[in-house]
Each structure stands twice: as C-alpha cells, then as structure tokens.
PDB file of all heavy atoms in Angstrom:
ATOM      1  N   LEU A 552      12.311  -0.910  -4.947  1.00  0.00           N
ATOM      2  CA  LEU A 552      12.027   0.406  -5.578  1.00  0.00           C
ATOM      3  C   LEU A 552      10.585   0.502  -6.027  1.00  0.00           C
ATOM      4  O   LEU A 552      10.008   1.598  -5.952  1.00  0.00           O
ATOM      5  CB  LEU A 552      12.926   0.593  -6.823  1.00  0.00           C
ATOM      6  CG  LEU A 552      14.461   0.618  -6.556  1.00  0.00           C
ATOM      7  CD1 LEU A 552      15.207   0.642  -7.859  1.00  0.00           C
ATOM      8  CD2 LEU A 552      14.847   1.805  -5.667  1.00  0.00           C
ATOM      9  N   ILE A 553       9.986  -0.621  -6.517  1.00  0.00           N
ATOM     10  CA  ILE A 553       8.626  -0.601  -7.058  1.00  0.00           C
ATOM     11  C   ILE A 553       7.767  -1.631  -6.303  1.00  0.00           C
ATOM     12  O   ILE A 553       8.166  -2.803  -6.207  1.00  0.00           O
ATOM     13  CB  ILE A 553       8.666  -0.915  -8.589  1.00  0.00           C
ATOM     14  CG1 ILE A 553       9.496   0.131  -9.298  1.00  0.00           C
ATOM     15  CG2 ILE A 553       7.271  -0.985  -9.138  1.00  0.00           C
ATOM     16  CD1 ILE A 553       9.720  -0.206 -10.752  1.00  0.00           C
ATOM     17  N   LEU A 554       6.618  -1.197  -5.880  1.00  0.00           N
ATOM     18  CA  LEU A 554       5.676  -2.080  -5.173  1.00  0.00           C
ATOM     19  C   LEU A 554       4.261  -1.825  -5.703  1.00  0.00           C
ATOM     20  O   LEU A 554       3.774  -0.690  -5.666  1.00  0.00           O
ATOM     21  CB  LEU A 554       5.737  -1.812  -3.650  1.00  0.00           C
ATOM     22  CG  LEU A 554       4.760  -2.607  -2.797  1.00  0.00           C
ATOM     23  CD1 LEU A 554       4.965  -4.094  -2.943  1.00  0.00           C
ATOM     24  CD2 LEU A 554       4.806  -2.200  -1.318  1.00  0.00           C
ATOM     25  N   GLU A 555       3.670  -2.871  -6.213  1.00  0.00           N
ATOM     26  CA  GLU A 555       2.283  -2.787  -6.721  1.00  0.00           C
ATOM     27  C   GLU A 555       1.403  -3.811  -5.998  1.00  0.00           C
ATOM     28  O   GLU A 555       1.639  -4.967  -5.968  1.00  0.00           O
ATOM     29  CB  GLU A 555       2.286  -3.109  -8.229  1.00  0.00           C
ATOM     30  CG  GLU A 555       3.053  -2.079  -9.050  1.00  0.00           C
ATOM     31  CD  GLU A 555       2.917  -2.279 -10.553  1.00  0.00           C
ATOM     32  OE1 GLU A 555       2.106  -3.185 -10.954  1.00  0.00           O
ATOM     33  OE2 GLU A 555       3.587  -1.611 -11.338  1.00  0.00           O
ATOM     34  N   LEU A 556       0.298  -3.237  -5.416  1.00  0.00           N
ATOM     35  CA  LEU A 556      -0.653  -4.015  -4.653  1.00  0.00           C
ATOM     36  C   LEU A 556      -2.070  -3.642  -5.020  1.00  0.00           C
ATOM     37  O   LEU A 556      -2.982  -3.607  -4.195  1.00  0.00           O
ATOM     38  CB  LEU A 556      -0.436  -3.775  -3.140  1.00  0.00           C
ATOM     39  CG  LEU A 556       0.879  -4.307  -2.557  1.00  0.00           C
ATOM     40  CD1 LEU A 556       1.084  -3.784  -1.152  1.00  0.00           C
ATOM     41  CD2 LEU A 556       0.955  -5.844  -2.564  1.00  0.00           C
ATOM     42  N   GLU A 557      -2.305  -3.427  -6.302  1.00  0.00           N
ATOM     43  CA  GLU A 557      -3.648  -3.024  -6.758  1.00  0.00           C
ATOM     44  C   GLU A 557      -4.610  -4.232  -6.763  1.00  0.00           C
ATOM     45  O   GLU A 557      -4.210  -5.389  -6.786  1.00  0.00           O
ATOM     46  CB  GLU A 557      -3.572  -2.436  -8.183  1.00  0.00           C
ATOM     47  CG  GLU A 557      -2.890  -1.068  -8.187  1.00  0.00           C
ATOM     48  CD  GLU A 557      -2.957  -0.392  -9.559  1.00  0.00           C
ATOM     49  OE1 GLU A 557      -3.264  -1.149 -10.573  1.00  0.00           O
ATOM     50  OE2 GLU A 557      -2.864   0.822  -9.643  1.00  0.00           O
ATOM     51  N   SER A 558      -5.904  -3.894  -6.661  1.00  0.00           N
ATOM     52  CA  SER A 558      -6.980  -4.901  -6.754  1.00  0.00           C
ATOM     53  C   SER A 558      -6.845  -5.924  -5.682  1.00  0.00           C
ATOM     54  O   SER A 558      -6.880  -7.170  -5.982  1.00  0.00           O
ATOM     55  CB  SER A 558      -6.994  -5.507  -8.173  1.00  0.00           C
ATOM     56  OG  SER A 558      -7.273  -4.533  -9.163  1.00  0.00           O
ATOM     57  N   ASN A 559      -6.683  -5.491  -4.445  1.00  0.00           N
ATOM     58  CA  ASN A 559      -6.690  -6.424  -3.303  1.00  0.00           C
ATOM     59  C   ASN A 559      -7.818  -5.978  -2.364  1.00  0.00           C
ATOM     60  O   ASN A 559      -8.800  -5.314  -2.773  1.00  0.00           O
ATOM     61  CB  ASN A 559      -5.334  -6.444  -2.625  1.00  0.00           C
ATOM     62  CG  ASN A 559      -4.337  -7.277  -3.428  1.00  0.00           C
ATOM     63  OD1 ASN A 559      -4.323  -8.471  -3.336  1.00  0.00           O
ATOM     64  ND2 ASN A 559      -3.415  -6.631  -4.163  1.00  0.00           N
ATOM     65  N   LYS A 560      -7.678  -6.353  -1.122  1.00  0.00           N
ATOM     66  CA  LYS A 560      -8.675  -6.004  -0.089  1.00  0.00           C
ATOM     67  C   LYS A 560      -8.042  -5.178   1.041  1.00  0.00           C
ATOM     68  O   LYS A 560      -8.324  -5.417   2.193  1.00  0.00           O
ATOM     69  CB  LYS A 560      -9.346  -7.264   0.427  1.00  0.00           C
ATOM     70  CG  LYS A 560     -10.087  -8.072  -0.632  1.00  0.00           C
ATOM     71  CD  LYS A 560     -10.713  -9.334  -0.063  1.00  0.00           C
ATOM     72  CE  LYS A 560     -11.468 -10.129  -1.111  1.00  0.00           C
ATOM     73  NZ  LYS A 560     -12.111 -11.358  -0.581  1.00  0.00           N
ATOM     74  N   LEU A 561      -7.278  -4.203   0.663  1.00  0.00           N
ATOM     75  CA  LEU A 561      -6.542  -3.418   1.648  1.00  0.00           C
ATOM     76  C   LEU A 561      -7.349  -2.166   2.009  1.00  0.00           C
ATOM     77  O   LEU A 561      -8.033  -1.572   1.189  1.00  0.00           O
ATOM     78  CB  LEU A 561      -5.214  -3.006   1.087  1.00  0.00           C
ATOM     79  CG  LEU A 561      -4.186  -4.147   0.705  1.00  0.00           C
ATOM     80  CD1 LEU A 561      -2.974  -3.602   0.034  1.00  0.00           C
ATOM     81  CD2 LEU A 561      -3.841  -4.957   1.946  1.00  0.00           C
ATOM     82  N   SER A 562      -7.163  -1.763   3.217  1.00  0.00           N
ATOM     83  CA  SER A 562      -7.766  -0.518   3.784  1.00  0.00           C
ATOM     84  C   SER A 562      -6.923  -0.053   4.925  1.00  0.00           C
ATOM     85  O   SER A 562      -5.961  -0.710   5.370  1.00  0.00           O
ATOM     86  CB  SER A 562      -9.205  -0.842   4.240  1.00  0.00           C
ATOM     87  OG  SER A 562      -9.241  -1.722   5.328  1.00  0.00           O
ATOM     88  N   GLU A 563      -7.284   1.161   5.437  1.00  0.00           N
ATOM     89  CA  GLU A 563      -6.525   1.692   6.542  1.00  0.00           C
ATOM     90  C   GLU A 563      -6.663   0.862   7.800  1.00  0.00           C
ATOM     91  O   GLU A 563      -5.859   0.991   8.763  1.00  0.00           O
ATOM     92  CB  GLU A 563      -6.950   3.130   6.853  1.00  0.00           C
ATOM     93  CG  GLU A 563      -8.396   3.318   7.214  1.00  0.00           C
ATOM     94  CD  GLU A 563      -9.335   3.371   6.010  1.00  0.00           C
ATOM     95  OE1 GLU A 563      -8.803   3.414   4.893  1.00  0.00           O
ATOM     96  OE2 GLU A 563     -10.542   3.414   6.237  1.00  0.00           O
ATOM     97  N   SER A 564      -7.665  -0.015   7.864  1.00  0.00           N
ATOM     98  CA  SER A 564      -7.835  -0.842   9.062  1.00  0.00           C
ATOM     99  C   SER A 564      -6.970  -2.089   9.127  1.00  0.00           C
ATOM    100  O   SER A 564      -6.664  -2.601  10.191  1.00  0.00           O
ATOM    101  CB  SER A 564      -9.331  -1.284   9.149  1.00  0.00           C
ATOM    102  OG  SER A 564      -9.663  -2.082   8.037  1.00  0.00           O
ATOM    103  N   ASN A 565      -6.509  -2.603   7.950  1.00  0.00           N
ATOM    104  CA  ASN A 565      -5.689  -3.782   7.938  1.00  0.00           C
ATOM    105  C   ASN A 565      -4.241  -3.576   7.454  1.00  0.00           C
ATOM    106  O   ASN A 565      -3.489  -4.508   7.199  1.00  0.00           O
ATOM    107  CB  ASN A 565      -6.347  -4.909   7.087  1.00  0.00           C
ATOM    108  CG  ASN A 565      -6.660  -4.468   5.659  1.00  0.00           C
ATOM    109  OD1 ASN A 565      -5.968  -3.630   5.143  1.00  0.00           O
ATOM    110  ND2 ASN A 565      -7.733  -4.970   5.122  1.00  0.00           N
ATOM    111  N   VAL A 566      -3.867  -2.280   7.252  1.00  0.00           N
ATOM    112  CA  VAL A 566      -2.512  -1.955   6.861  1.00  0.00           C
ATOM    113  C   VAL A 566      -1.866  -1.202   8.012  1.00  0.00           C
ATOM    114  O   VAL A 566      -2.321  -0.105   8.407  1.00  0.00           O
ATOM    115  CB  VAL A 566      -2.460  -1.042   5.609  1.00  0.00           C
ATOM    116  CG1 VAL A 566      -1.002  -0.654   5.303  1.00  0.00           C
ATOM    117  CG2 VAL A 566      -3.075  -1.811   4.423  1.00  0.00           C
ATOM    118  N   SER A 567      -0.875  -1.771   8.596  1.00  0.00           N
ATOM    119  CA  SER A 567      -0.204  -1.169   9.763  1.00  0.00           C
ATOM    120  C   SER A 567       0.482   0.146   9.397  1.00  0.00           C
ATOM    121  O   SER A 567       1.077   0.197   8.325  1.00  0.00           O
ATOM    122  CB  SER A 567       0.798  -2.169  10.361  1.00  0.00           C
ATOM    123  OG  SER A 567       1.578  -1.567  11.365  1.00  0.00           O
ATOM    124  N   PRO A 568       0.419   1.140  10.282  1.00  0.00           N
ATOM    125  CA  PRO A 568       1.132   2.415  10.029  1.00  0.00           C
ATOM    126  C   PRO A 568       2.647   2.209   9.913  1.00  0.00           C
ATOM    127  O   PRO A 568       3.354   3.086   9.367  1.00  0.00           O
ATOM    128  CB  PRO A 568       0.772   3.271  11.216  1.00  0.00           C
ATOM    129  CG  PRO A 568      -0.468   2.704  11.791  1.00  0.00           C
ATOM    130  CD  PRO A 568      -0.360   1.241  11.518  1.00  0.00           C
ATOM    131  N   PHE A 569       3.175   1.092  10.388  1.00  0.00           N
ATOM    132  CA  PHE A 569       4.612   0.806  10.321  1.00  0.00           C
ATOM    133  C   PHE A 569       4.978  -0.231   9.287  1.00  0.00           C
ATOM    134  O   PHE A 569       6.125  -0.677   9.202  1.00  0.00           O
ATOM    135  CB  PHE A 569       5.107   0.286  11.696  1.00  0.00           C
ATOM    136  CG  PHE A 569       4.718   1.175  12.832  1.00  0.00           C
ATOM    137  CD1 PHE A 569       3.651   0.867  13.672  1.00  0.00           C
ATOM    138  CD2 PHE A 569       5.441   2.347  13.094  1.00  0.00           C
ATOM    139  CE1 PHE A 569       3.264   1.694  14.725  1.00  0.00           C
ATOM    140  CE2 PHE A 569       5.106   3.165  14.147  1.00  0.00           C
ATOM    141  CZ  PHE A 569       4.010   2.843  14.979  1.00  0.00           C
ATOM    142  N   ALA A 570       3.979  -0.538   8.429  1.00  0.00           N
ATOM    143  CA  ALA A 570       4.233  -1.584   7.426  1.00  0.00           C
ATOM    144  C   ALA A 570       5.255  -1.168   6.434  1.00  0.00           C
ATOM    145  O   ALA A 570       6.079  -1.993   5.949  1.00  0.00           O
ATOM    146  CB  ALA A 570       2.922  -1.942   6.727  1.00  0.00           C
ATOM    147  N   PHE A 571       5.303   0.104   6.024  1.00  0.00           N
ATOM    148  CA  PHE A 571       6.180   0.585   4.976  1.00  0.00           C
ATOM    149  C   PHE A 571       7.520   1.097   5.440  1.00  0.00           C
ATOM    150  O   PHE A 571       8.357   1.588   4.662  1.00  0.00           O
ATOM    151  CB  PHE A 571       5.488   1.659   4.117  1.00  0.00           C
ATOM    152  CG  PHE A 571       4.189   1.201   3.519  1.00  0.00           C
ATOM    153  CD1 PHE A 571       2.964   1.601   4.058  1.00  0.00           C
ATOM    154  CD2 PHE A 571       4.196   0.381   2.418  1.00  0.00           C
ATOM    155  CE1 PHE A 571       1.766   1.185   3.477  1.00  0.00           C
ATOM    156  CE2 PHE A 571       2.991  -0.043   1.817  1.00  0.00           C
ATOM    157  CZ  PHE A 571       1.760   0.362   2.358  1.00  0.00           C
ATOM    158  N   GLN A 572       7.757   1.107   6.765  1.00  0.00           N
ATOM    159  CA  GLN A 572       9.021   1.597   7.268  1.00  0.00           C
ATOM    160  C   GLN A 572      10.294   0.904   6.790  1.00  0.00           C
ATOM    161  O   GLN A 572      11.311   1.561   6.530  1.00  0.00           O
ATOM    162  CB  GLN A 572       8.982   1.634   8.810  1.00  0.00           C
ATOM    163  CG  GLN A 572       8.127   2.740   9.393  1.00  0.00           C
ATOM    164  CD  GLN A 572       8.253   2.811  10.905  1.00  0.00           C
ATOM    165  OE1 GLN A 572       8.914   1.977  11.517  1.00  0.00           O
ATOM    166  NE2 GLN A 572       7.666   3.817  11.506  1.00  0.00           N
ATOM    167  N   PRO A 573      10.280  -0.437   6.597  1.00  0.00           N
ATOM    168  CA  PRO A 573      11.520  -1.096   6.128  1.00  0.00           C
ATOM    169  C   PRO A 573      11.896  -0.734   4.675  1.00  0.00           C
ATOM    170  O   PRO A 573      13.020  -0.943   4.266  1.00  0.00           O
ATOM    171  CB  PRO A 573      11.188  -2.584   6.233  1.00  0.00           C
ATOM    172  CG  PRO A 573      10.065  -2.650   7.204  1.00  0.00           C
ATOM    173  CD  PRO A 573       9.269  -1.418   7.004  1.00  0.00           C
ATOM    174  N   LEU A 574      10.953  -0.152   3.964  1.00  0.00           N
ATOM    175  CA  LEU A 574      11.184   0.143   2.513  1.00  0.00           C
ATOM    176  C   LEU A 574      11.871   1.481   2.413  1.00  0.00           C
ATOM    177  O   LEU A 574      11.301   2.491   2.078  1.00  0.00           O
ATOM    178  CB  LEU A 574       9.857   0.136   1.763  1.00  0.00           C
ATOM    179  CG  LEU A 574       9.030  -1.156   1.899  1.00  0.00           C
ATOM    180  CD1 LEU A 574       7.698  -0.997   1.167  1.00  0.00           C
ATOM    181  CD2 LEU A 574       9.790  -2.363   1.412  1.00  0.00           C
ATOM    182  N   LYS A 575      13.152   1.479   2.610  1.00  0.00           N
ATOM    183  CA  LYS A 575      13.963   2.668   2.650  1.00  0.00           C
ATOM    184  C   LYS A 575      14.202   3.278   1.267  1.00  0.00           C
ATOM    185  O   LYS A 575      14.496   4.448   1.138  1.00  0.00           O
ATOM    186  CB  LYS A 575      15.330   2.454   3.315  1.00  0.00           C
ATOM    187  CG  LYS A 575      15.230   1.859   4.711  1.00  0.00           C
ATOM    188  CD  LYS A 575      14.574   2.766   5.662  1.00  0.00           C
ATOM    189  CE  LYS A 575      14.573   2.277   7.106  1.00  0.00           C
ATOM    190  NZ  LYS A 575      13.918   3.159   8.034  1.00  0.00           N
ATOM    191  N   SER A 576      14.077   2.472   0.196  1.00  0.00           N
ATOM    192  CA  SER A 576      14.367   2.973  -1.145  1.00  0.00           C
ATOM    193  C   SER A 576      13.146   3.010  -2.054  1.00  0.00           C
ATOM    194  O   SER A 576      13.275   3.304  -3.228  1.00  0.00           O
ATOM    195  CB  SER A 576      15.410   2.011  -1.802  1.00  0.00           C
ATOM    196  OG  SER A 576      16.610   1.975  -1.033  1.00  0.00           O
ATOM    197  N   LEU A 577      11.941   2.756  -1.495  1.00  0.00           N
ATOM    198  CA  LEU A 577      10.757   2.691  -2.306  1.00  0.00           C
ATOM    199  C   LEU A 577      10.455   4.073  -2.951  1.00  0.00           C
ATOM    200  O   LEU A 577      10.409   5.066  -2.242  1.00  0.00           O
ATOM    201  CB  LEU A 577       9.581   2.212  -1.479  1.00  0.00           C
ATOM    202  CG  LEU A 577       8.309   1.900  -2.272  1.00  0.00           C
ATOM    203  CD1 LEU A 577       8.542   0.625  -3.114  1.00  0.00           C
ATOM    204  CD2 LEU A 577       7.103   1.681  -1.299  1.00  0.00           C
ATOM    205  N   SER A 578      10.260   4.080  -4.274  1.00  0.00           N
ATOM    206  CA  SER A 578       9.916   5.333  -4.964  1.00  0.00           C
ATOM    207  C   SER A 578       8.591   5.228  -5.729  1.00  0.00           C
ATOM    208  O   SER A 578       8.064   6.271  -6.136  1.00  0.00           O
ATOM    209  CB  SER A 578      11.025   5.678  -5.912  1.00  0.00           C
ATOM    210  OG  SER A 578      11.200   4.677  -6.935  1.00  0.00           O
ATOM    211  N   TYR A 579       8.093   4.019  -5.948  1.00  0.00           N
ATOM    212  CA  TYR A 579       6.890   3.869  -6.782  1.00  0.00           C
ATOM    213  C   TYR A 579       5.925   2.895  -6.026  1.00  0.00           C
ATOM    214  O   TYR A 579       6.245   1.730  -5.814  1.00  0.00           O
ATOM    215  CB  TYR A 579       7.333   3.273  -8.114  1.00  0.00           C
ATOM    216  CG  TYR A 579       6.231   3.138  -9.152  1.00  0.00           C
ATOM    217  CD1 TYR A 579       5.996   4.073 -10.100  1.00  0.00           C
ATOM    218  CD2 TYR A 579       5.428   1.982  -9.200  1.00  0.00           C
ATOM    219  CE1 TYR A 579       4.970   3.967 -11.034  1.00  0.00           C
ATOM    220  CE2 TYR A 579       4.416   1.858 -10.132  1.00  0.00           C
ATOM    221  CZ  TYR A 579       4.211   2.821 -11.055  1.00  0.00           C
ATOM    222  OH  TYR A 579       3.238   2.702 -12.000  1.00  0.00           O
ATOM    223  N   LEU A 580       4.741   3.397  -5.687  1.00  0.00           N
ATOM    224  CA  LEU A 580       3.776   2.601  -4.921  1.00  0.00           C
ATOM    225  C   LEU A 580       2.392   2.740  -5.536  1.00  0.00           C
ATOM    226  O   LEU A 580       1.857   3.834  -5.718  1.00  0.00           O
ATOM    227  CB  LEU A 580       3.748   3.122  -3.477  1.00  0.00           C
ATOM    228  CG  LEU A 580       2.692   2.443  -2.558  1.00  0.00           C
ATOM    229  CD1 LEU A 580       2.987   0.941  -2.411  1.00  0.00           C
ATOM    230  CD2 LEU A 580       2.705   3.092  -1.183  1.00  0.00           C
ATOM    231  N   ARG A 581       1.831   1.562  -5.859  1.00  0.00           N
ATOM    232  CA  ARG A 581       0.472   1.534  -6.427  1.00  0.00           C
ATOM    233  C   ARG A 581      -0.448   0.765  -5.416  1.00  0.00           C
ATOM    234  O   ARG A 581      -0.228  -0.401  -5.156  1.00  0.00           O
ATOM    235  CB  ARG A 581       0.466   0.814  -7.769  1.00  0.00           C
ATOM    236  CG  ARG A 581       1.287   1.463  -8.859  1.00  0.00           C
ATOM    237  CD  ARG A 581       1.060   0.898 -10.219  1.00  0.00           C
ATOM    238  NE  ARG A 581      -0.255   1.276 -10.736  1.00  0.00           N
ATOM    239  CZ  ARG A 581      -0.402   2.231 -11.662  1.00  0.00           C
ATOM    240  NH1 ARG A 581       0.631   2.895 -12.106  1.00  0.00           N
ATOM    241  NH2 ARG A 581      -1.645   2.518 -12.093  1.00  0.00           N
ATOM    242  N   LEU A 582      -1.484   1.466  -4.965  1.00  0.00           N
ATOM    243  CA  LEU A 582      -2.466   0.921  -4.054  1.00  0.00           C
ATOM    244  C   LEU A 582      -3.913   1.104  -4.551  1.00  0.00           C
ATOM    245  O   LEU A 582      -4.858   1.142  -3.821  1.00  0.00           O
ATOM    246  CB  LEU A 582      -2.362   1.532  -2.663  1.00  0.00           C
ATOM    247  CG  LEU A 582      -1.007   1.270  -1.943  1.00  0.00           C
ATOM    248  CD1 LEU A 582      -0.956   2.117  -0.666  1.00  0.00           C
ATOM    249  CD2 LEU A 582      -0.853  -0.182  -1.556  1.00  0.00           C
ATOM    250  N   GLY A 583      -4.018   1.218  -5.891  1.00  0.00           N
ATOM    251  CA  GLY A 583      -5.320   1.439  -6.484  1.00  0.00           C
ATOM    252  C   GLY A 583      -6.238   0.236  -6.397  1.00  0.00           C
ATOM    253  O   GLY A 583      -5.792  -0.890  -6.140  1.00  0.00           O
ATOM    254  N   ARG A 584      -7.548   0.480  -6.552  1.00  0.00           N
ATOM    255  CA  ARG A 584      -8.580  -0.584  -6.549  1.00  0.00           C
ATOM    256  C   ARG A 584      -8.555  -1.368  -5.237  1.00  0.00           C
ATOM    257  O   ARG A 584      -8.572  -2.592  -5.215  1.00  0.00           O
ATOM    258  CB  ARG A 584      -8.359  -1.538  -7.756  1.00  0.00           C
ATOM    259  CG  ARG A 584      -8.569  -0.849  -9.080  1.00  0.00           C
ATOM    260  CD  ARG A 584      -8.472  -1.845 -10.261  1.00  0.00           C
ATOM    261  NE  ARG A 584      -8.723  -1.209 -11.516  1.00  0.00           N
ATOM    262  CZ  ARG A 584      -7.817  -0.557 -12.230  1.00  0.00           C
ATOM    263  NH1 ARG A 584      -6.580  -0.479 -11.808  1.00  0.00           N
ATOM    264  NH2 ARG A 584      -8.121   0.035 -13.399  1.00  0.00           N
ATOM    265  N   ASN A 585      -8.527  -0.622  -4.134  1.00  0.00           N
ATOM    266  CA  ASN A 585      -8.610  -1.214  -2.830  1.00  0.00           C
ATOM    267  C   ASN A 585      -9.795  -0.555  -2.088  1.00  0.00           C
ATOM    268  O   ASN A 585     -10.752  -0.119  -2.738  1.00  0.00           O
ATOM    269  CB  ASN A 585      -7.303  -1.078  -2.055  1.00  0.00           C
ATOM    270  CG  ASN A 585      -6.273  -2.136  -2.483  1.00  0.00           C
ATOM    271  OD1 ASN A 585      -6.367  -3.312  -2.071  1.00  0.00           O
ATOM    272  ND2 ASN A 585      -5.305  -1.728  -3.320  1.00  0.00           N
ATOM    273  N   GLN A 586      -9.698  -0.502  -0.791  1.00  0.00           N
ATOM    274  CA  GLN A 586     -10.847  -0.018   0.007  1.00  0.00           C
ATOM    275  C   GLN A 586     -10.425   1.082   0.988  1.00  0.00           C
ATOM    276  O   GLN A 586     -10.983   1.252   2.047  1.00  0.00           O
ATOM    277  CB  GLN A 586     -11.508  -1.178   0.746  1.00  0.00           C
ATOM    278  CG  GLN A 586     -11.982  -2.298  -0.124  1.00  0.00           C
ATOM    279  CD  GLN A 586     -12.419  -3.531   0.641  1.00  0.00           C
ATOM    280  OE1 GLN A 586     -12.493  -3.521   1.881  1.00  0.00           O
ATOM    281  NE2 GLN A 586     -12.786  -4.611  -0.111  1.00  0.00           N
ATOM    282  N   PHE A 587      -9.462   1.915   0.558  1.00  0.00           N
ATOM    283  CA  PHE A 587      -8.968   2.951   1.425  1.00  0.00           C
ATOM    284  C   PHE A 587      -9.992   4.113   1.445  1.00  0.00           C
ATOM    285  O   PHE A 587     -10.522   4.541   0.407  1.00  0.00           O
ATOM    286  CB  PHE A 587      -7.618   3.514   0.965  1.00  0.00           C
ATOM    287  CG  PHE A 587      -6.507   2.526   1.178  1.00  0.00           C
ATOM    288  CD1 PHE A 587      -6.001   1.771   0.182  1.00  0.00           C
ATOM    289  CD2 PHE A 587      -5.919   2.410   2.416  1.00  0.00           C
ATOM    290  CE1 PHE A 587      -4.915   0.882   0.327  1.00  0.00           C
ATOM    291  CE2 PHE A 587      -4.855   1.539   2.649  1.00  0.00           C
ATOM    292  CZ  PHE A 587      -4.407   0.779   1.613  1.00  0.00           C
ATOM    293  N   ARG A 588     -10.211   4.670   2.649  1.00  0.00           N
ATOM    294  CA  ARG A 588     -11.038   5.894   2.795  1.00  0.00           C
ATOM    295  C   ARG A 588     -10.224   7.161   3.113  1.00  0.00           C
ATOM    296  O   ARG A 588     -10.699   8.284   2.898  1.00  0.00           O
ATOM    297  CB  ARG A 588     -12.077   5.677   3.951  1.00  0.00           C
ATOM    298  CG  ARG A 588     -13.101   4.642   3.563  1.00  0.00           C
ATOM    299  CD  ARG A 588     -14.130   4.528   4.706  1.00  0.00           C
ATOM    300  NE  ARG A 588     -15.222   3.581   4.387  1.00  0.00           N
ATOM    301  CZ  ARG A 588     -16.345   3.911   3.705  1.00  0.00           C
ATOM    302  NH1 ARG A 588     -16.519   5.129   3.314  1.00  0.00           N
ATOM    303  NH2 ARG A 588     -17.216   2.981   3.454  1.00  0.00           N
ATOM    304  N   THR A 589      -9.014   6.915   3.530  1.00  0.00           N
ATOM    305  CA  THR A 589      -8.072   7.974   3.750  1.00  0.00           C
ATOM    306  C   THR A 589      -6.715   7.647   3.184  1.00  0.00           C
ATOM    307  O   THR A 589      -6.464   6.472   2.818  1.00  0.00           O
ATOM    308  CB  THR A 589      -7.890   8.266   5.281  1.00  0.00           C
ATOM    309  OG1 THR A 589      -7.417   7.110   5.910  1.00  0.00           O
ATOM    310  CG2 THR A 589      -9.223   8.662   5.911  1.00  0.00           C
TER     311      THR A 589
END
C-alpha cells in the first residue's frame, strides 16, 4: 500500500516503465529528492 523511495538516485532513465505494474494495491508513493525531469 505504501512505498517510499525518497533521497535516492532515481530518474526516468533507470526506472522501468513496467516497474510499478505488480503493485496492484499501491495508494501512496513518495519519489521526492531524486533526479526525475518528467
């Protein structure tokens, strides 16, 4: 339900577009303090 990945080195280049597909019940996602441009 809850996934927090703040303050890492994530960006659209190293996160697969299919990475979050298994998370059928996820309602809360934190990706702050990373390197996303989109």
